[in-house]
């Protein structure tokens, strides 16, 4: 009936309205999240597939909102990018991650342990990004080689020339560089040769399907072969099952992350995974 349709339109309207309100609310609140100390980092273990050893961790941003609870990055990183808040937030992430690494380093860490931090395209529009990274490494006394920066192909696309220059400068400082979400962008192959990456991270969407789809399995196999032939390290993202792990091990994929090993967790939980001093 007309009446029913009318009420469903009204329902739709109020639904859209509610979404807009939430969005506005998040935007306003995000502006204050840093000074109110509502942002925090979780860390997801990175595992050497052959041995099961912990070889690093990825810092993943969380927002503990006073009334909405824990907000995931998919909901607020886009807002942070649109508003420019990603610049102070991104700097906070880098500084917090490096401070955490420094603190972890007071106990014996697994050899070659690396902490990875995600960078947004907007951060590469900051002319002083390289100096900011340098400054944070200096003030936290963390070795550049223990820090890995993860960037995506879309980031590079934004301004190939400027980004290449900045990535090269970061690389010259000794910082490790990883190409994140590999396979989801385009022209990937050309970029691999052109940019100073050390590691390639295969996107979760491929890893997820390796045991169900022979195409996905073939794509992952090709990416691993490619990475190896270019002398790049390779990390599989989003390993959730033993059979996915077994497949990746059979390809001699170096490292992996995923719920099969561990979810992102607070810093204190990561510390428990480090080699514990043997008691006397
Ligand atoms: P990403 O860099 O690709 O990070 C991996 C995401 O996959 C994380 O989601 C992680 O929790 C999730 N994940 C890991 N293993 C599994 C698995 O086995 N199964 C499934 N279903 N998911 C898994 P999260 O923490 O929600 O982060 C989402 C995205 O937000 C990140 O994707 C990254 O693009 C962005 N992000 C997170 N932290 C930061 C940050 O500090 N700065 C910037 N610029 N972006 C960030
Ligand atoms: Ca990442
Ligand atoms: Ca990724
Ligand atoms: Ca992703």
């Amino acid at each position: 009936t007309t009446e029913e349709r009318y009420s469903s339109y009204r329902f739709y309207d109020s639904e859209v309205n509610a979404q807009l309100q939430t969005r506005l609310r998040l935007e306003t609140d995000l502006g204050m999240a840093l000074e109110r100390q509502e942002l925090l980092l979780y860390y997801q273990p990175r595992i050497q597939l052959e041995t099961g050893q912990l070889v690093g961790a990825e810092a993943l941003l969380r927002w503990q909102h006073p009334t909405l609870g824990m907000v995931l990055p998919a909901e607020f990183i886009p807002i942070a990018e649109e508003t420019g808040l990603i610049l102070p937030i991104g700097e906070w992430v880098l500084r917090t991650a490096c401070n955490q690494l420094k603190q972890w380093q007071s106990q014996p860490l697994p050899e070659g342990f690396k902490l990875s931090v995600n960078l947004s395209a907007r951060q590469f529009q900051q002319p002083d990004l390289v100096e900011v990274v340098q400054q944070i490494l200096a003030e936290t006394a963390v070795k550049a080689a223990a820090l890995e920066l993860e960037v995506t192909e879309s980031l590079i696309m934004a301004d190939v020339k400027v980004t290449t220059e900045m990535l090269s400068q970061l690389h010259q400082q000794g910082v490790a560089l990883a190409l994140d979400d590999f396979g989801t962008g385009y022209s990937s192959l050309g970029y691999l040769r052109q940019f100073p990456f050390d590691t390639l991270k295969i996107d979760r969407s491929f890893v997820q399907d390796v045991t169900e789809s022979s195409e996905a399995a073939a794509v992952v196999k090709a990416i691993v072969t490619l990475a190896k032939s270019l002398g790049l390290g390779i990390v599989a993202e989003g390993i959730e099952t033993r059979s996915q792990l077994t497949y990746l091990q059979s390809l001699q994929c170096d490292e992996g992350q995923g719920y099969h090993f561990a979810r992102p967790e607070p810093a204190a939980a990561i510390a428990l995974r480090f080699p514990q001093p043997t008691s006397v």
Side-chain angles (χ1 to χ4, degrees), residues 58-60 116-118 150-152 180-181 201 237 257:
E58 177 176 5
L60 293 159
S116 307
V117 171
N118 293 285
E150 298 192 0
V151 304
T152 60
D180 203 357
D181 300 346
K201 298 188 82 173
E237 299 191 293
Q257 284 176 239

Side-chain angles (χ1 to χ4, degrees), residues 61-72:
L61 191 55
R62 297 290 181 266
W63 179 13
Q64 184 64 61
H65 188 281
T67 57
L68 299 173
M70 196 72 97
V71 188
L72 290 173

Side-chain angles (χ1 to χ4, degrees), residues 35-249:
E35 55 183 276
R36 290 184 177 169
Q37 307 190 342
E38 293 166 3
L39 298 180
L40 68 160
L41 294 181
Y42 270 27
Y43 299 87
Q44 187 178 36
R46 183 149 132 188
I47 305 295
Q48 185 170 49
L49 298 187
E50 197 189 343
T51 60
Q53 294 291 313
L54 178 72
V55 288
E58 177 176 5
L60 293 159
L61 191 55
R62 297 290 181 266
W63 179 13
Q64 184 64 61
H65 188 281
T67 57
L68 299 173
M70 196 72 97
V71 188
L72 290 173
E75 282 189 72
F76 68 91
I77 298 261
I79 300 176
E81 285 171 344
E82 281 164 38
T83 55
L85 283 168
I86 195 66
L87 299 184
I89 291 176
E91 189 170 332
W92 179 88
V93 169
L94 268 169
R95 182 168 282 110
T96 306
C98 288
N99 274 319
Q100 184 58 64
L101 184 57
K102 188 68 201 169
Q103 200 186 315
W104 281 336
Q105 283 173 343
S106 63
Q107 65 191 98
L109 289 187
E111 169 124 17
F113 185 89
K114 274 192 178 38
L115 184 57
S116 307
V117 171
N118 293 285
L119 289 185
S120 280
R122 276 294 284 269
Q123 292 177 267
F124 279 81
Q125 290 165 13
Q126 271 178 296
D128 65 345
L129 175 67
V130 178
E131 285 76 35
V132 168
V133 173
Q134 225 157 15
Q135 168 67 33
I136 290 173
L137 287 172
E139 83 191 31
T140 54
V142 157
K143 283 206 181 62
L147 177 67
E148 180 179 74
L149 300 177
E150 298 192 0
V151 304
T152 60
E153 289 168 71
S154 57
L155 178 150
I156 296 163
M157 291 302 296
D159 188 338
V160 178
K161 211 165 156 242
V162 170
T163 320
T164 315
E165 180 57 31
M166 285 174 127
L167 288 174
S168 302
Q169 285 178 20
L170 288 165
H171 205 240
Q172 276 160 24
Q173 284 180 42
V175 175
L177 298 175
L179 184 55
D180 203 357
D181 300 346
F182 186 76
T184 59
Y186 52 99
S187 315
S188 315
L189 303 183
Y191 290 123
L192 279 183
R193 288 180 41 245
Q194 200 174 325
F195 294 97
F197 290 110
D198 306 285
T199 300
L200 200 155
K201 298 188 82 173
I202 311 178
D203 193 66
R204 173 160 64 87
S205 56
F206 300 106
V207 173
Q208 192 174 283
D209 292 342
V210 289
T211 51
E212 270 94 58
S213 144
S214 54
E215 285 85 3
V219 168
V220 167
K221 185 176 181 184
I223 295 176
V224 172
T225 307
L226 172 76
K228 285 180 177 286
S229 70
L230 292 172
L232 297 169
I234 177 112
V235 180
E237 299 191 293
I239 301 177
E240 291 184 354
T241 67
R242 146 97 15 215
S243 49
Q244 290 165 353
L245 170 61
T246 304
Y247 180 67
L248 287 154
Q249 282 172 326

